[in-house]
Structures are given as C-alpha cells and as structure tokens.
Amino acid sequence: MLRRSLLAAAVMFAASTVTAQDAPEAARQLAQDAIIVDTHIDAPGLLLSRWADLGVDAPDREFDYPRARAGGLDVGFMAIYTSHGRDEAGTARQHAHNQIDAVEALAGRHPDKFAILTSPGDVETLREGGRVLLSMGMENAGPLGDDVSQVEAFFNRGVRYIGLTHSGNNRIGDSSYTLERKWNGLSPFGREVIAEMNRLGMIVDVSHVSDETARDVIEVSTAPVIASHSGFRHFTPGFERNLDDELAKEIAATGGVIQIPFGTMFLDGQAAADIQAYFVAADEFERRNAELRAAGEPTEDRSAFERNWEETHPVPDITIDPVLDQIDHGVKLVGIDHIGLGSDFDGVGGDLPENLRTVADFPHLVAGLQQRGYSDDDIRKILGGNMLRAWTAIEAAAGR
C-alpha cells in the first residue's frame, strides 16, 4: 500500500493542536465508558521497521498507550501484516511470527498498561486498571503457505482473525486489487482454510479480497464473517477494495459486521481512484524493470517512482464527515447491529480526516454521531458492541 514516510506523519502530528479534550464533555464521557473496539491498527509492522515504546508517548505513531486511554480505546486488533512480495519470497511466515513477538513483548514490558486478548469473554476482566487490550489479526494469509495446520499454529499464538489476501492473489483466493484473477473466488485450499478457521472459532475477514472470493467465503463459512477495515463502494465507484451494497448485505446476513476505516483512500472518490491507478502503474513499472533486467540493461529506481507518484497524486484533505457518511449509509443499508470501526491507524501513512488522526480522537467521532442523532446505546454498538457480539457468535459456532 502507498504510504507516507514516518517523518511526514510526525510533522503532521506536530502541526495538529486538536486533542480529545476539545470534544464535548458528553462525547468524552461516552468514549471512556463504552467499550471501543478497533479491528485494524498497523502498529506491529512499524515496531519492526522503526521501533518505539508504545507504552509511552510515541509522537511519530497513531497508536500508543497514552493516546489510546485519552480516546477511550479498549481493544485494538494489531495487524500482523505480510506483503504479497514476502509471500512470494517465502519469508511471510517468519515475518508474521516476528510481529507477534513484538506484540507479546509490548504487553510483557507494560503488564499494567496492556494485555493480550484472545476471547471476547475476557474483556471486562482484562481491561480493569485501565489496560488497553491487544488482540491480533493476520492481514494476508501468506504466512500459512500451503499448510492448513498453520491456521491452528497461529491461532495458538493468539491470532484471532485472518484477512485472506492483501494486494495480490495468493493460495487462498483473489485480491480486490489485481487486474487478473487466478481462482475467480476461493481456491480449493482456501475452502479448507475457512473450514479450519470455523472449527477453531477464528474470525474470517474478507477485507482486501475480490467480490467473487468474498461471496465464496460467505457461502462456505458456518460462522459470521467480518470485513475488518472496508468502507462502502457507494462513495468510491469502481473501487473493489470497498464493499458494494449487495455484498455488505450478505455479510450482515451471516451475523457479521462491516468495520469502517478512516483512511482517506476509503472515503474520497479521487483518492480511491488514485490508489487503483497506483497499483496499475506499479505493476507496469515492475514488468518494465523485468524486461530491462532480461535485456541486461539498467533498471529504473523504485524510490524515484514512488516519490514522483506522491508528488503528482496528492492526497486530498478531508474532514470527519465522510466517515460519518459511511456509517450513516451502512446503518441504513444493513442495520445498526452490523457496523463497527476498523481505523487502519498506522497503515495509511497519515492520510486521515481532520480530528480523526490518532487513537486519541475517538471522542470526536462520538461527538459527530451524537450530532447526527444516534442514541448512546446505538453509538455503543458501533464503537464495539457489534464486533464483540459477532466474535462471541463465532466462538460459539466453533466446531459445528
């Protein structure tokens, strides 16, 4: 995924003077009292590439303990992300384990601030004392390789959802980003993986997969299905990474939830079109370099390509309203019981709405929902109640 540098993100944070304390008192109180669940935070990958102690202020990140508590975050799913390139190179499994080690080390270093959460039934007990609970979700099933027993191996390490693909087709199924499809849905191995996830009570996540793959997943899964960080295609026509309305209805019919992300690319039509164009251009760039290598000629510089793309495709600045619009659309489409939050903090390079740029900013989202007429009970469902209900149902369905 196209991401801004950490330095650029740090400059952005320094320039922002809006804090959670600027939100109305009623919104701040509800954010602290409700259980907030964010199903997608990309902190683990950054811990490996540029370490920071997330138990204290980490100004170049979007998730750390002080800001999580300021914003009322209770449960953050740490994304165990591996790229399509690592999958092809055979290094995805080790990289996934390294990230899990990093999450465990964070909780071990600060047992008064963090705890690993592996079951929704443990939320109330573990969050006592102000702890932020760290669950783990795998983003891209590449670390499984072609070995279905790896599902249980990662489950035993604490991984509680698997997002089946990322930017490329893999052994499981097809990605929403690829121009050419390998399986036209789930692969036979992918069906084995879904069955094993259902047996264990592991959450199946269809964010990043193609429409055909998602529909196959919904057809074969015996438990609710989620989209951990996907918006609605209604606002980004042609952007398959977001869900079309019919697919969203099918997810809700399983008892699942659609977790709304905050990244600009999910919310703004031009940003969505640009990210699609980026993947096409990047694919053409790699093919051109392959031809140059085959001819024994010098290849083009990838970093120069990335810099030029960012300069010629600036990401628009947006307010919090498009996030609220997504929630409104989802509630009208599938009902209040099937919408939640999957921010993608630390995963979109700082391309986020004004007043919704770190985990400290959930009170601003709560204030916006209150202003749009949502009751406190319904806001609690969106903030985390719906996700915890679905997760509980998935656990209950295990082995059926």
Side-chain angles (χ1 to χ4, degrees), residues 189-221:
F189 177 65
R191 291 172 182 266
E192 292 181 41
V193 168
I194 301 304
E196 180 67 354
M197 293 174 70
N198 288 162
R199 183 186 73 82
L200 294 167
M202 184 180 279
I203 303 162
V204 183
D205 172 24
V206 296
S207 287
H208 281 290
V209 305
S210 69
D211 288 356
E212 295 88 351
T213 302
R215 289 196 163 89
D216 281 352
V217 170
I218 291 166
E219 179 184 350
V220 303
S221 178

mmCIF file of all heavy atoms in Angstrom, residues 189-221:
data_model
loop_
_atom_site.group_PDB
_atom_site.id
_atom_site.type_symbol
_atom_site.label_atom_id
_atom_site.label_comp_id
_atom_site.label_asym_id
_atom_site.label_seq_id
_atom_site.Cartn_x
_atom_site.Cartn_y
_atom_site.Cartn_z
ATOM 1 N N PHE A 189 -7.829 -24.913 -1.648
ATOM 2 C CA PHE A 189 -7.124 -24.793 -0.371
ATOM 3 C C PHE A 189 -7.800 -23.735 0.501
ATOM 4 O O PHE A 189 -7.897 -23.889 1.730
ATOM 5 C CB PHE A 189 -5.661 -24.442 -0.609
ATOM 6 C CG PHE A 189 -4.873 -24.229 0.658
ATOM 7 C CD1 PHE A 189 -4.657 -25.266 1.546
ATOM 8 C CD2 PHE A 189 -4.341 -22.978 0.957
ATOM 9 C CE1 PHE A 189 -3.937 -25.072 2.724
ATOM 10 C CE2 PHE A 189 -3.611 -22.770 2.117
ATOM 11 C CZ PHE A 189 -3.415 -23.816 3.006
ATOM 12 N N GLY A 190 -8.255 -22.660 -0.122
ATOM 13 C CA GLY A 190 -8.952 -21.631 0.632
ATOM 14 C C GLY A 190 -10.178 -22.169 1.346
ATOM 15 O O GLY A 190 -10.481 -21.777 2.480
ATOM 16 N N ARG A 191 -10.888 -23.069 0.714
ATOM 17 C CA ARG A 191 -12.062 -23.670 1.347
ATOM 18 C C ARG A 191 -11.654 -24.505 2.557
ATOM 19 O O ARG A 191 -12.352 -24.510 3.586
ATOM 20 C CB ARG A 191 -12.834 -24.508 0.324
ATOM 21 C CG ARG A 191 -13.502 -23.650 -0.754
ATOM 22 C CD ARG A 191 -14.116 -24.469 -1.878
ATOM 23 N NE ARG A 191 -14.698 -23.582 -2.880
ATOM 24 C CZ ARG A 191 -15.972 -23.201 -2.906
ATOM 25 N NH1 ARG A 191 -16.819 -23.681 -1.992
ATOM 26 N NH2 ARG A 191 -16.421 -22.385 -3.834
ATOM 27 N N GLU A 192 -10.518 -25.183 2.459
ATOM 28 C CA GLU A 192 -10.009 -25.927 3.615
ATOM 29 C C GLU A 192 -9.671 -24.970 4.757
ATOM 30 O O GLU A 192 -9.944 -25.257 5.929
ATOM 31 C CB GLU A 192 -8.756 -26.717 3.233
ATOM 32 C CG GLU A 192 -8.968 -27.869 2.285
ATOM 33 C CD GLU A 192 -7.649 -28.591 2.016
ATOM 34 O OE1 GLU A 192 -6.872 -28.783 2.983
ATOM 35 O OE2 GLU A 192 -7.388 -28.932 0.848
ATOM 36 N N VAL A 193 -9.070 -23.856 4.409
ATOM 37 C CA VAL A 193 -8.688 -22.875 5.430
ATOM 38 C C VAL A 193 -9.918 -22.322 6.141
ATOM 39 O O VAL A 193 -9.940 -22.200 7.375
ATOM 40 C CB VAL A 193 -7.858 -21.738 4.792
ATOM 41 C CG1 VAL A 193 -7.709 -20.558 5.761
ATOM 42 C CG2 VAL A 193 -6.486 -22.254 4.382
ATOM 43 N N ILE A 194 -10.966 -21.985 5.395
ATOM 44 C CA ILE A 194 -12.184 -21.464 6.011
ATOM 45 C C ILE A 194 -12.782 -22.502 6.954
ATOM 46 O O ILE A 194 -13.206 -22.182 8.076
ATOM 47 C CB ILE A 194 -13.225 -21.064 4.944
ATOM 48 C CG1 ILE A 194 -12.656 -20.001 4.003
ATOM 49 C CG2 ILE A 194 -14.505 -20.560 5.617
ATOM 50 C CD1 ILE A 194 -12.157 -18.760 4.678
ATOM 51 N N ALA A 195 -12.816 -23.758 6.536
ATOM 52 C CA ALA A 195 -13.368 -24.818 7.393
ATOM 53 C C ALA A 195 -12.566 -24.938 8.688
ATOM 54 O O ALA A 195 -13.142 -25.123 9.770
ATOM 55 C CB ALA A 195 -13.377 -26.147 6.640
ATOM 56 N N GLU A 196 -11.256 -24.840 8.581
ATOM 57 C CA GLU A 196 -10.412 -24.940 9.781
ATOM 58 C C GLU A 196 -10.601 -23.726 10.687
ATOM 59 O O GLU A 196 -10.640 -23.856 11.914
ATOM 60 C CB GLU A 196 -8.946 -25.095 9.373
ATOM 61 C CG GLU A 196 -7.965 -25.202 10.532
ATOM 62 C CD GLU A 196 -8.115 -26.476 11.345
ATOM 63 O OE1 GLU A 196 -9.050 -27.264 11.106
ATOM 64 O OE2 GLU A 196 -7.278 -26.687 12.247
ATOM 65 N N MET A 197 -10.735 -22.550 10.107
ATOM 66 C CA MET A 197 -10.998 -21.353 10.907
ATOM 67 C C MET A 197 -12.329 -21.478 11.636
ATOM 68 O O MET A 197 -12.433 -21.151 12.826
ATOM 69 C CB MET A 197 -10.974 -20.116 10.016
ATOM 70 C CG MET A 197 -9.604 -19.785 9.437
ATOM 71 S SD MET A 197 -9.638 -18.418 8.259
ATOM 72 C CE MET A 197 -9.966 -17.030 9.364
ATOM 73 N N ASN A 198 -13.343 -21.961 10.940
ATOM 74 C CA ASN A 198 -14.642 -22.181 11.583
ATOM 75 C C ASN A 198 -14.526 -23.179 12.735
ATOM 76 O O ASN A 198 -15.131 -22.997 13.799
ATOM 77 C CB ASN A 198 -15.661 -22.696 10.568
ATOM 78 C CG ASN A 198 -16.130 -21.656 9.568
ATOM 79 O OD1 ASN A 198 -16.679 -21.991 8.523
ATOM 80 N ND2 ASN A 198 -15.933 -20.377 9.861
ATOM 81 N N ARG A 199 -13.759 -24.242 12.526
ATOM 82 C CA ARG A 199 -13.608 -25.261 13.565
ATOM 83 C C ARG A 199 -12.985 -24.687 14.827
ATOM 84 O O ARG A 199 -13.384 -25.020 15.952
ATOM 85 C CB ARG A 199 -12.749 -26.419 13.042
ATOM 86 C CG ARG A 199 -12.587 -27.571 14.041
ATOM 87 C CD ARG A 199 -11.621 -28.621 13.538
ATOM 88 N NE ARG A 199 -10.225 -28.164 13.595
ATOM 89 C CZ ARG A 199 -9.465 -28.199 14.707
ATOM 90 N NH1 ARG A 199 -9.967 -28.648 15.845
ATOM 91 N NH2 ARG A 199 -8.206 -27.788 14.661
ATOM 92 N N LEU A 200 -12.014 -23.784 14.636
ATOM 93 C CA LEU A 200 -11.291 -23.221 15.766
ATOM 94 C C LEU A 200 -12.005 -22.042 16.418
ATOM 95 O O LEU A 200 -11.682 -21.673 17.551
ATOM 96 C CB LEU A 200 -9.900 -22.759 15.307
ATOM 97 C CG LEU A 200 -8.937 -23.846 14.846
ATOM 98 C CD1 LEU A 200 -7.740 -23.228 14.138
ATOM 99 C CD2 LEU A 200 -8.487 -24.694 16.034
ATOM 100 N N GLY A 201 -12.954 -21.450 15.712
ATOM 101 C CA GLY A 201 -13.567 -20.230 16.214
ATOM 102 C C GLY A 201 -12.753 -19.003 15.863
ATOM 103 O O GLY A 201 -12.781 -17.997 16.585
ATOM 104 N N MET A 202 -12.034 -19.060 14.743
ATOM 105 C CA MET A 202 -11.251 -17.926 14.270
ATOM 106 C C MET A 202 -12.102 -17.098 13.313
ATOM 107 O O MET A 202 -12.837 -17.636 12.484
ATOM 108 C CB MET A 202 -9.978 -18.411 13.568
ATOM 109 C CG MET A 202 -9.042 -17.296 13.128
ATOM 110 S SD MET A 202 -7.546 -17.923 12.287
ATOM 111 C CE MET A 202 -6.521 -18.379 13.671
ATOM 112 N N ILE A 203 -11.991 -15.780 13.427
ATOM 113 C CA ILE A 203 -12.806 -14.859 12.634
ATOM 114 C C ILE A 203 -12.299 -14.824 11.191
ATOM 115 O O ILE A 203 -11.099 -14.668 10.957
ATOM 116 C CB ILE A 203 -12.735 -13.443 13.237
ATOM 117 C CG1 ILE A 203 -13.196 -13.455 14.699
ATOM 118 C CG2 ILE A 203 -13.564 -12.465 12.420
ATOM 119 C CD1 ILE A 203 -12.756 -12.229 15.480
ATOM 120 N N VAL A 204 -13.217 -14.944 10.241
ATOM 121 C CA VAL A 204 -12.876 -14.862 8.819
ATOM 122 C C VAL A 204 -13.109 -13.424 8.353
ATOM 123 O O VAL A 204 -14.204 -12.878 8.507
ATOM 124 C CB VAL A 204 -13.719 -15.833 7.977
ATOM 125 C CG1 VAL A 204 -13.292 -15.766 6.514
ATOM 126 C CG2 VAL A 204 -13.595 -17.260 8.506
ATOM 127 N N ASP A 205 -12.075 -12.825 7.758
ATOM 128 C CA ASP A 205 -12.094 -11.416 7.352
ATOM 129 C C ASP A 205 -11.987 -11.315 5.834
ATOM 130 O O ASP A 205 -11.047 -11.842 5.244
ATOM 131 C CB ASP A 205 -10.917 -10.694 8.026
ATOM 132 C CG ASP A 205 -10.713 -9.278 7.532
ATOM 133 O OD1 ASP A 205 -11.679 -8.670 7.031
ATOM 134 O OD2 ASP A 205 -9.576 -8.772 7.668
ATOM 135 N N VAL A 206 -12.948 -10.613 5.212
ATOM 136 C CA VAL A 206 -12.954 -10.509 3.757
ATOM 137 C C VAL A 206 -12.461 -9.156 3.241
ATOM 138 O O VAL A 206 -12.578 -8.887 2.038
ATOM 139 C CB VAL A 206 -14.351 -10.816 3.170
ATOM 140 C CG1 VAL A 206 -14.746 -12.253 3.455
ATOM 141 C CG2 VAL A 206 -15.407 -9.835 3.693
ATOM 142 N N SER A 207 -11.916 -8.301 4.099
ATOM 143 C CA SER A 207 -11.287 -7.092 3.582
ATOM 144 C C SER A 207 -10.122 -7.478 2.679
ATOM 145 O O SER A 207 -9.369 -8.411 2.984
ATOM 146 C CB SER A 207 -10.776 -6.217 4.728
ATOM 147 O OG SER A 207 -11.843 -5.588 5.404
ATOM 148 N N HIS A 208 -9.977 -6.769 1.586
ATOM 149 C CA HIS A 208 -8.914 -6.962 0.585
ATOM 150 C C HIS A 208 -9.216 -8.035 -0.452
ATOM 151 O O HIS A 208 -8.512 -8.114 -1.462
ATOM 152 C CB HIS A 208 -7.551 -7.263 1.221
ATOM 153 C CG HIS A 208 -6.839 -6.072 1.747
ATOM 154 N ND1 HIS A 208 -6.295 -5.111 0.933
ATOM 155 C CD2 HIS A 208 -6.581 -5.679 3.020
ATOM 156 C CE1 HIS A 208 -5.720 -4.176 1.682
ATOM 157 N NE2 HIS A 208 -5.897 -4.487 2.947
ATOM 158 N N VAL A 209 -10.226 -8.888 -0.268
ATOM 159 C CA VAL A 209 -10.460 -9.940 -1.258
ATOM 160 C C VAL A 209 -11.374 -9.427 -2.367
ATOM 161 O O VAL A 209 -12.083 -8.431 -2.215
ATOM 162 C CB VAL A 209 -11.063 -11.212 -0.620
ATOM 163 C CG1 VAL A 209 -10.196 -11.717 0.514
ATOM 164 C CG2 VAL A 209 -12.499 -10.990 -0.168
ATOM 165 N N SER A 210 -11.357 -10.122 -3.488
ATOM 166 C CA SER A 210 -12.247 -9.787 -4.599
ATOM 167 C C SER A 210 -13.693 -10.090 -4.219
ATOM 168 O O SER A 210 -13.971 -10.851 -3.278
ATOM 169 C CB SER A 210 -11.871 -10.596 -5.841
ATOM 170 O OG SER A 210 -12.176 -11.977 -5.650
ATOM 171 N N ASP A 211 -14.620 -9.522 -4.978
ATOM 172 C CA ASP A 211 -16.034 -9.793 -4.726
ATOM 173 C C ASP A 211 -16.344 -11.279 -4.819
ATOM 174 O O ASP A 211 -17.083 -11.842 -3.998
ATOM 175 C CB ASP A 211 -16.906 -9.039 -5.727
ATOM 176 C CG ASP A 211 -16.948 -7.535 -5.469
ATOM 177 O OD1 ASP A 211 -16.354 -7.081 -4.467
ATOM 178 O OD2 ASP A 211 -17.574 -6.818 -6.285
ATOM 179 N N GLU A 212 -15.791 -11.945 -5.840
ATOM 180 C CA GLU A 212 -16.064 -13.373 -6.027
ATOM 181 C C GLU A 212 -15.533 -14.182 -4.842
ATOM 182 O O GLU A 212 -16.195 -15.123 -4.375
ATOM 183 C CB GLU A 212 -15.426 -13.877 -7.322
ATOM 184 C CG GLU A 212 -16.004 -13.253 -8.585
ATOM 185 C CD GLU A 212 -15.295 -11.956 -8.967
ATOM 186 O OE1 GLU A 212 -14.467 -11.454 -8.157
ATOM 187 O OE2 GLU A 212 -15.567 -11.455 -10.065
ATOM 188 N N THR A 213 -14.350 -13.826 -4.358
ATOM 189 C CA THR A 213 -13.787 -14.532 -3.214
ATOM 190 C C THR A 213 -14.644 -14.320 -1.977
ATOM 191 O O THR A 213 -14.930 -15.261 -1.225
ATOM 192 C CB THR A 213 -12.348 -14.059 -2.952
ATOM 193 O OG1 THR A 213 -11.557 -14.274 -4.123
ATOM 194 C CG2 THR A 213 -11.721 -14.815 -1.792
ATOM 195 N N ALA A 214 -15.064 -13.074 -1.750
ATOM 196 C CA ALA A 214 -15.899 -12.781 -0.577
ATOM 197 C C ALA A 214 -17.196 -13.581 -0.619
ATOM 198 O O ALA A 214 -17.640 -14.131 0.407
ATOM 199 C CB ALA A 214 -16.192 -11.289 -0.514
ATOM 200 N N ARG A 215 -17.813 -13.668 -1.789
ATOM 201 C CA ARG A 215 -19.083 -14.400 -1.872
ATOM 202 C C ARG A 215 -18.876 -15.894 -1.652
ATOM 203 O O ARG A 215 -19.720 -16.561 -1.045
ATOM 204 C CB ARG A 215 -19.758 -14.115 -3.213
ATOM 205 C CG ARG A 215 -20.292 -12.695 -3.289
ATOM 206 C CD ARG A 215 -21.294 -12.465 -4.407
ATOM 207 N NE ARG A 215 -22.028 -11.231 -4.143
ATOM 208 C CZ ARG A 215 -21.644 -10.011 -4.544
ATOM 209 N NH1 ARG A 215 -20.543 -9.872 -5.254
ATOM 210 N NH2 ARG A 215 -22.365 -8.958 -4.234
ATOM 211 N N ASP A 216 -17.755 -16.429 -2.116
ATOM 212 C CA ASP A 216 -17.450 -17.829 -1.832
ATOM 213 C C ASP A 216 -17.261 -18.050 -0.336
ATOM 214 O O ASP A 216 -17.723 -19.049 0.228
ATOM 215 C CB ASP A 216 -16.180 -18.260 -2.579
ATOM 216 C CG ASP A 216 -16.423 -18.563 -4.045
ATOM 217 O OD1 ASP A 216 -17.598 -18.585 -4.470
ATOM 218 O OD2 ASP A 216 -15.430 -18.775 -4.767
ATOM 219 N N VAL A 217 -16.561 -17.115 0.323
ATOM 220 C CA VAL A 217 -16.343 -17.212 1.769
ATOM 221 C C VAL A 217 -17.678 -17.242 2.501
ATOM 222 O O VAL A 217 -17.914 -18.079 3.390
ATOM 223 C CB VAL A 217 -15.483 -16.044 2.277
ATOM 224 C CG1 VAL A 217 -15.473 -16.007 3.802
ATOM 225 C CG2 VAL A 217 -14.064 -16.145 1.751
ATOM 226 N N ILE A 218 -18.560 -16.331 2.141
ATOM 227 C CA ILE A 218 -19.870 -16.250 2.795
ATOM 228 C C ILE A 218 -20.661 -17.536 2.573
ATOM 229 O O ILE A 218 -21.360 -18.018 3.476
ATOM 230 C CB ILE A 218 -20.625 -15.015 2.277
ATOM 231 C CG1 ILE A 218 -19.941 -13.736 2.784
ATOM 232 C CG2 ILE A 218 -22.086 -15.054 2.689
ATOM 233 C CD1 ILE A 218 -20.381 -12.480 2.077
ATOM 234 N N GLU A 219 -20.519 -18.098 1.397
ATOM 235 C CA GLU A 219 -21.248 -19.333 1.080
ATOM 236 C C GLU A 219 -20.767 -20.512 1.919
ATOM 237 O O GLU A 219 -21.579 -21.323 2.386
ATOM 238 C CB GLU A 219 -21.102 -19.661 -0.405
ATOM 239 C CG GLU A 219 -21.800 -20.942 -0.826
ATOM 240 C CD GLU A 219 -21.554 -21.301 -2.273
ATOM 241 O OE1 GLU A 219 -21.001 -20.466 -3.017
ATOM 242 O OE2 GLU A 219 -21.912 -22.423 -2.669
ATOM 243 N N VAL A 220 -19.448 -20.623 2.130
ATOM 244 C CA VAL A 220 -18.927 -21.823 2.776
ATOM 245 C C VAL A 220 -18.760 -21.672 4.283
ATOM 246 O O VAL A 220 -18.709 -22.683 5.005
ATOM 247 C CB VAL A 220 -17.576 -22.256 2.151
ATOM 248 C CG1 VAL A 220 -17.726 -22.470 0.665
ATOM 249 C CG2 VAL A 220 -16.467 -21.258 2.447
ATOM 250 N N SER A 221 -18.681 -20.462 4.800
ATOM 251 C CA SER A 221 -18.459 -20.282 6.234
ATOM 252 C C SER A 221 -19.695 -20.669 7.030
ATOM 253 O O SER A 221 -20.823 -20.316 6.664
ATOM 254 C CB SER A 221 -18.068 -18.840 6.541
ATOM 255 O OG SER A 221 -17.890 -18.665 7.948
#
